Amino acid sequence: MAKVTVHYTDYFRQTIQRLREDGLLLVTADREGKPNVMTIGWGTIGSVWGRPMFIVLVRPSRFSFSRLEENPDFTVNVPPYELAAAAAHCGKVSGRDHDKFREMGLTVVPARQVRAPIIEQCVVHYECRTVHRNDVAPSALAQAIADEFYPRDDYHRVYFGEILACYADENAAERLRAPSGPFAMMP
Ligand SMILES: Cc1cc2nc3c(=O)[nH]c(=O)nc-3n(C[C@H](O)[C@H](O)[C@H](O)COP(=O)(O)O)c2cc1C
């Protein structure tokens, strides 16, 4: 499937929808280029410092965290509905002791601009380079959110990734249409 360059906001709605459903696939790589993948359910796309930005939140306990500290580049890949099981697996086991690409049959392909690959079977790809990072500040966080999401004080690090390239399958809108009929997602 040919991948065509798109504007970083072209698939905003579908990207946020998939983020809230099965999650997106965040690919990082170590200094030597060895990749890892994890599922993310939190993040946003916007404009900061006049630059297109993909902001992701990663807890320090993740293997991906150590990769991001080593190499600022990452890609965010939007999985089609057929990859729901892969998203679940990549959100459950760690790259410390699993080769999630092999286990789920995910094909890595070199990115166009950054030193972390993309996942071929995904539909939309954002290539990013971290330009800022900060930690969620407990003292500045609403108590209700702290109570609900951080009972173990494992506050996320927030990575601001400048989007250096964005491209998608030619039939991306079709591939990201929510399934209908008996297999449709429940609200
Ligand atoms: C749907 C879903 C969304 C998730 N979102 C995030 C997230 O935004 N940030 C995060 O740190 N972990 C998130 N996780 C958990 C990681 O994906 C999970 O801990 C993963 O095994 C980490 O892999 P790694 O150790 O190879 O980096 C999510 C898991 C699932 C299933």
Side-chain angles (χ1 to χ4, degrees):
M1 171 60 60
K3 309 261 185 199
V4 293
T5 298
V6 296
H7 191 263
Y8 77 102
T9 58
D10 281 354
Y11 291 101
F12 178 81
R13 188 183 61 74
Q14 291 93 332
T15 299
I16 301 300
Q17 182 171 335
R18 296 301 289 135
L19 182 72
R20 294 172 59 90
E21 293 171 342
D22 299 320
L24 307 180
L25 297 176
L26 172 75
V27 178
T28 53
D30 69 9
R31 253 181 234 107
E32 280 72 48
K34 188 170 190 302
N36 184 46
V37 52
M38 75 168 243
T39 305
I40 54 167
W42 294 355
T44 190
I45 297 169
S47 176
V48 186
W49 303 300
R51 296 158 193 242
M53 208 66 69
F54 208 123
I55 298 172
V56 298
L57 287 80
V58 179
R59 293 191 203 256
S61 56
R62 314 302 186 216
F63 187 50
S64 303
F65 179 92
S66 60
R67 294 291 167 104
L68 278 171
E69 291 301 301
E70 207 175 307
N71 169 7
D73 292 2
F74 63 90
T75 67
V76 180
N77 301 268
V78 182
Y81 287 87
E82 312 90 81
L83 287 189
H89 185 68
C90 295
K92 199 164 54 194
V93 303
S94 177
R96 284 188 195 91
D97 35 43
H98 285 259
D99 178 349
K100 296 184 241 183
F101 299 104
R102 190 181 50 75
E103 289 163 355
M104 299 314 295
L106 300 173
T107 311
V108 290
V109 173
R112 298 177 182 182
Q113 304 278 340
V114 303
R115 290 168 301 133
I118 63 158
I119 295 173
E120 171 73 19
Q121 294 94 333
C122 287
V123 184
V124 186
H125 311 270
Y126 301 86
E127 295 190 9
C128 307
R129 179 159 296 150
T130 303
V131 292
H132 177 63
R133 67 196 79 191
N134 60 30
D135 293 331
V136 170
S139 62
L141 189 64
Q143 194 59 49
I145 293 178
D147 292 346
E148 185 174 354
F149 296 105
Y150 301 104
R152 289 188 294 278
D153 292 343
D154 52 346
Y155 297 96
H156 289 91
R157 184 158 290 178
V158 185
Y159 291 89
F160 289 63
E162 180 176 354
I163 301 170
L164 298 177
C166 184
Y167 42 94
D169 284 359
E170 274 171 343
N171 62 348
E174 195 184 310
R175 287 193 76 200
L176 291 174
R177 198 164 297 132
S180 56
F183 301 111
M185 308 263 309
M186 297 299 285

